[in-house]
Amino acid sequence: MKTLKGIAASPDIVIGKAYVLDSEEMVIPQRVIKESMIPKEITRFQDALTETRAEIQKIRDKISKEISKEHGDIFNAHLMVLEDRAIIEEVMERVKKEKQNAEYIFSQVLRKYVQSFLKIDDEYLRERVSDINDVGRRVIRHLVGDRRASLSEIKEKVILVAYDLAPSDTAVMHRKNVIGFATDIGGRTSHTAIMAKSLEIPAVVGLENATRQIRTGDTIVVDGIQGNVAINPTAGELQKFRQDHARHIEFNRSLKRFRDLPCVTTDGHRVELAANIEFPEETPSVLSHGADGIGLYRSEFLYMNRVDLPSEEEQYQAYKKVVTAMAPKSVIIRTFDLGGDKFLSHLEMPHEMNPFLGWRAIRFCLASPEIFKTQLRAILRASAHGKLRMMYPMISGVAEVKEANKLLEEAKSELRAKKTAFDEKIEVGAMIEIPSAALTCDILAEEVDFFSVGTNDLIQYALAVDRINERIAYLYEPAHPAVLRLLQTIIEAGHSKKIWVGICGEMSGDPIFTPVLLGLGMDEISTSPVMVPEIKKIVRSLSYEEARQIAKYVMTLRAGTEVVNFLKLKYQQILRSSK
Ligand code: PEP
Ligand code: MG
C-alpha cells in the first residue's frame, strides 16, 4: 500500500474509488471514434485552434492597450505555438490513424513535445514549455468545454482527486456521489477544506502530487483525521481502516448527548457556541449538532456558479430561509467576501499578483456600492423574520467601517421610504482578520456592536503565510505567540468598550484551543457544525477559572510548538476526566 501524507481537512475516513481530475485542472476524456466521424473530429480541432487564436489575440490587444505593447507582444509567442505545423499535423495524422478524440491526442502530442524540450538545457526552450502548456490548456478547454460540466455528471460514488477544487466546482458537483476529496494543494483553512467540512465529506488537502500518484478507478482511503491517503490497500489494511472508522463513529455517537445541553462551564460561565455555513441547506445540520446559532454565514457562496448576480429578492429569499429556520436563534450574515481564493466567473475581476492582499471583500464592496447596497437591503429585509446580525469582512481600518455603515444607512433609508419592514436595531459587526484591525480594535469598537475574529486570514496576514500553500503549511501556526497576543488584544479592547467578541476561523474548531479561547474571554465560538458537539463537551468539562489559568500559562510560552504540546496534553486530560 502506498500512503500519501497531506493535511487533515475534514475529520472522517472514507474508502472508495478515485475519480481523478487532471492536474491541469481539466478532465481530458479519451474516446474511440468511428471512421465516419474523423473529418468532424478534425474540424472540431481546427475550430478550437481558431477560437483559441481569437481569444489570445483579444488578450494581447487588451494588455497592449492597458499595460504596454511589450507586455502584449509576449502573447505573440503563444500565437506562434498555435501556428506550429509540426504539432498540428501530428495531431491530425494521429486522429486519423488511432481513431481517438482530438483533445486526447492533442494532450498526448503536447506532452511529448514538452518532455523533449525539458531534456534540453536551454533557457529559451524551457520558456517555450510554459507557453506550450498555457496554449495547450486553452485549446483543450475549447475542446472539452467546462470541467464543471463533467463534475456535475459524476454518476457513481467516487472520491474526487484534484489539483484543487474551486468553490464553484464544489458547488456544482453531485454532492451525493462525491464521498471524499483529496487535493494536491491547499491548507487547513483553504476553501476546499472548509467546503469539505461543511459538506461533511472526509478530506485531505495539500498532498502535493495526488493527481499524479492516483489513477481513476484505484481504491483509495481518505483519512481526514490523520491526514493520509492510502492507495490500493490490501484486505488486511482495509480492515484496519474500517476499525478506525468505526471508532470515529462511536466517538461521534458518544457526543450526541451534548446536543441539547447548554454550552456552559462547570462553574456556570456561558459561551455562545455557533456554527459556520456556506449554504442555506446546511441549516438543519447546524440545529442537529446542537449549535446556539449561526456565527458565520459566508454569503458569497450564493454568488458562485452563476452568469448573473443574484437579485435583491433572490438574496432576501435565501437569507430569510436561514433566519426563519434558525429563529429564535441568531444568524450572522457576513457580507460578500470575494477575492483571495474565492472568485466569480461572471464578474470580471482583474488577475492580481497577490489576490489575498488585493481587491477583496469589503474593498470590492465599497468600490461597487450598487452590488453592496443590493445585498444590504436583502439582509435588512430578512432581519424582519428573526434574529439577524451582520458583519463586514476584511476590515483594515476605521474608514472602511464608517463607509460601509454609511451605505448601510442609505439602504435603511431606501427601505423606510418604501415602508419595508426590517430590524431597526440590527447588530453590525466587524471581522477582525487583518493585524491592522486587531491593533486598532479600540477605535473600531466605537463603530460596531461586536467583533468576530477570522483567524484563517488573521494568521496568514500576521505570520505572512499563504493559507492555501501546502509548502509552508508548517509555518501556519494558530498557536504562535503572535497570534495569541493578537487574540488577547482584540478581546481586551472589545470588552473595554463593552462589545462582545467571537471567533469564526477554523482555529475555533480545533478542540485543543477551546480552553485558551475560553480563558482569554471569547464570548462566542463559531465553528463547522460537525465540530460543535466536541467543542461543547470540552467547555462543559472545564471551569472558567481552570480555563483562565490555562490561558494565562499559555501566554507565557515562547513558541507555537510549546503551546501545542501543552494543549494536547491538557486535551487528553480533559477527555479522560470527562468520561
Ligand atoms: C477567516 O478568515 O477566518 C474567515 C472566517 O473567513 P474566510 O475563511 O471565509 O476567509
Ligand atoms: Mg477571512
Side-chain angles (χ1 to χ4, degrees):
M1 170 181 76
K2 192 176 209 169
T3 304
L4 308 178
K5 184 91 199 104
I7 298 165
S10 179
D12 200 354
I13 299 170
V14 67
I15 303 169
K17 293 270 178 244
Y19 181 92
V20 184
L21 295 181
D22 188 72
S23 62
E24 283 157 9
E25 301 181 45
M26 266 179 293
V27 184
I28 303 177
Q30 183 181 8
R31 284 191 305 272
V32 175
I33 51 171
K34 286 195 203 132
E35 181 88 43
S36 60
M37 296 302 281
I38 290 175
K40 208 169 154 206
E41 196 61 16
I42 289 181
T43 311
R44 215 166 63 80
F45 175 56
Q46 287 168 332
D47 287 349
L49 293 178
T50 311
E51 282 160 17
T52 310
R53 196 172 298 124
E55 181 181 290
I56 296 176
Q57 279 164 349
K58 208 167 135 198
I59 299 174
R60 180 194 57 191
D61 297 346
K62 189 164 185 269
I63 302 247
S64 302
K65 204 166 122 220
E66 289 174 10
I67 304 176
S68 76
K69 185 168 173 318
E70 287 71 39
H71 283 87
D73 283 348
I74 295 169
F75 287 87
N76 286 334
H78 288 207
L79 288 171
M80 273 164 63
V81 176
L82 280 176
E83 309 287 328
D84 194 317
R85 292 311 304 169
I87 297 180
I88 297 173
E89 268 154 30
E90 184 169 342
V91 173
M92 298 205 292
E93 277 313 305
R94 281 182 57 178
V95 168
K96 281 186 208 154
K97 221 165 93 210
E98 295 171 28
K99 300 193 183 60
Q100 301 214 61
N101 57 318
E103 50 271 55
Y104 177 71
I105 299 283
F106 179 65
S107 68
Q108 297 290 310
V109 172
L110 279 196
R111 191 164 295 182
K112 194 183 83 181
Y113 273 81
V114 165
Q115 269 157 9
S116 60
F117 275 18
L118 284 175
K119 282 194 198 118
I120 307 168
D121 188 17
D122 179 299
E123 186 76 15
Y124 172 73
L125 285 181
R126 243 182 282 122
E127 273 177 21
R128 293 226 349 142
V129 166
S130 76
D131 291 345
I132 293 177
N133 279 333
D134 199 42
V135 174
R137 263 196 295 273
R138 287 180 193 279
V139 174
I140 290 170
R141 203 170 293 133
H142 280 291
L143 283 164
V144 176
D146 199 330
R147 82 167 177 153
R148 287 195 238 136
S150 72
L151 274 177
S152 60
E153 277 161 18
I154 293 175
K155 295 275 181 323
E156 46 180 3
K157 292 208 182 314
V158 292
I159 296 174
L160 217 51
V161 181
Y163 175 70
D164 186 24
L165 287 169
S168 50
D169 292 328
T170 38
V172 288
M173 75 191 181
H174 204 301
R175 295 192 208 156
K176 290 236 158 19
N177 286 339
V178 175
I179 55 173
F181 290 165
T183 60
D184 288 348
I185 68 161
R188 208 178 295 278
T189 67
S190 61
H191 279 88
T192 312
I194 290 170
M195 282 300 300
K197 250 197 213 159
S198 90
L199 298 171
E200 296 180 39
I201 294 175
V204 178
V205 298
L207 287 153
E208 290 181 18
N209 55 10
T211 49
R212 268 175 281 137
Q213 306 269 353
I214 302 170
R215 286 165 195 270
T216 295
D218 278 349
T219 296
I220 59 172
V221 182
V222 169
D223 179 347
I225 303 167
Q226 300 297 331
N228 296 326
V229 173
I231 310 170
N232 293 324
T234 62
E237 288 159 342
L238 276 178
Q239 183 58 18
K240 158 109 186 24
F241 282 116
R242 290 204 178 96
Q243 282 163 0
D244 290 349
H245 187 214
R247 251 197 310 278
H248 179 70
I249 291 178
E250 188 40 46
F251 179 61
N252 278 342
R253 192 169 299 141
S254 74
L255 294 175
K256 283 236 165 74
R257 67 194 164 96
F258 292 100
R259 203 186 77 172
D260 300 318
L261 299 175
C263 187
V264 61
T265 57
T266 53
D267 51 354
H269 177 80
R270 178 87 202 225
V271 179
E272 185 157 335
L273 180 55
N276 297 347
I277 65 163
E278 277 72 46
F279 301 105
E281 296 76 43
E282 289 170 76
T283 318
S285 163
V286 173
L287 293 168
S288 70
H289 285 95
D292 294 325
I294 291 176
L296 167 65
Y297 172 11
R298 291 184 163 95
S299 66
E300 60 277 4
F301 282 80
L302 201 65
Y303 292 73
M304 306 272 171
N305 285 311
R306 311 176 45 114
V307 286
D308 54 353
L309 288 171
S311 64
E312 179 184 318
E313 183 60 25
E314 206 178 330
Q315 292 185 57
Y316 162 63
Q317 292 299 342
Y319 305 152
K320 181 177 145 193
K321 191 171 163 187
V322 177
V323 176
T324 318
M326 289 301 297
K329 297 180 168 168
S330 141
V331 176
I332 303 179
I333 299 186
R334 189 258 300 273
T335 59
F336 203 28
D337 177 9
L338 285 174
D341 68 342
K342 292 172 286 190
F343 287 103
L344 290 190
S345 42
H346 51 85
L347 279 184
E348 287 226 341
M349 295 184 91
H351 178 74
E352 296 182 331
M353 291 293 280
N354 290 306
F356 274 120
L357 299 181
W359 202 40
R360 245 195 101 172
I362 197 71
R363 303 166 181 188
F364 169 86
C365 284
L366 294 179
S368 323
E370 280 319 309
I371 295 179
F372 191 39
K373 269 185 12 188
T374 304
Q375 180 176 37
L376 294 176
R377 283 191 303 269
I379 294 175
L380 287 169
R381 286 170 59 195
S383 71
H385 301 278
K387 184 158 170 47
L388 187 57
R389 295 153 159 168
M390 52 172 281
M391 62 185 178
Y392 308 126
M394 291 288 295
I395 292 297
S396 66
V398 74
E400 284 164 337
V401 183
K402 285 189 169 171
E403 180 66 19
N405 278 343
K406 195 175 126 230
L407 292 169
L408 180 64
E409 283 312 313
E410 284 177 25
K412 285 183 180 174
S413 303
E414 286 160 18
L415 293 181
R416 278 186 210 112
K418 287 199 210 148
K419 303 214 176 330
T420 308
F422 66 91
D423 176 5
E424 288 278 356
K425 295 209 183 74
I426 185 168
E427 277 185 42
V428 179
M431 284 190 75
I432 306 299
E433 37 189 359
I434 301 181
S436 59
L439 298 171
T440 51
C441 269
D442 54 331
I443 303 170
L444 298 179
E446 288 174 4
E447 311 298 326
V448 291
D449 302 302
F450 66 93
F451 291 145
S452 181
V453 189
T455 46
N456 301 340
D457 280 313
L458 185 64
I459 297 167
Q460 84 163 341
Y461 297 130
L463 306 181
V465 179
D466 181 342
R467 65 193 258 189
I468 60 171
N469 186 339
E470 70 287 353
R471 273 190 213 101
I472 46 170
Y474 70 99
L475 289 173
Y476 190 93
E477 288 185 285
H480 193 295
V483 176
L484 299 178
R485 288 180 191 188
L486 285 171
L487 290 179
Q488 191 175 39
T489 304
I490 300 165
I491 295 169
E492 283 175 0
H495 288 175
S496 74
K497 298 277 174 171
K498 308 264 177 300
I499 68 170
W500 63 266
V501 183
I503 174 171
C504 62
E506 292 302 296
M507 183 178 182
S508 63
D510 187 339
I512 69 164
F513 292 120
T514 311
V516 183
L517 298 177
L518 190 62
L520 286 175
M522 210 52 103
D523 303 292
E524 181 232 34
I525 296 177
S526 190
T527 182
S528 330
V530 282
M531 295 313 298
V532 165
E534 192 175 347
I535 303 297
K536 198 187 278 185
K537 177 183 168 126
I538 304 286
V539 173
R540 291 183 56 89
S541 309
L542 279 169
S543 71
Y544 189 39
E545 191 43 41
E546 278 170 300
R548 284 161 67 98
Q549 291 306 326
I550 293 174
K552 198 168 161 201
Y553 175 67
V554 157
M555 295 310 288
T556 66
L557 298 177
R558 307 169 74 89
T561 43
E562 282 176 37
V563 174
V564 168
N565 290 341
F566 171 74
L567 290 179
K568 277 189 176 159
L569 278 176
K570 273 279 158 215
Y571 170 72
Q572 294 300 343
Q573 275 171 12
I574 295 168
L575 281 191
R576 270 198 302 275
S577 65
S578 68
K579 262 180 194 159

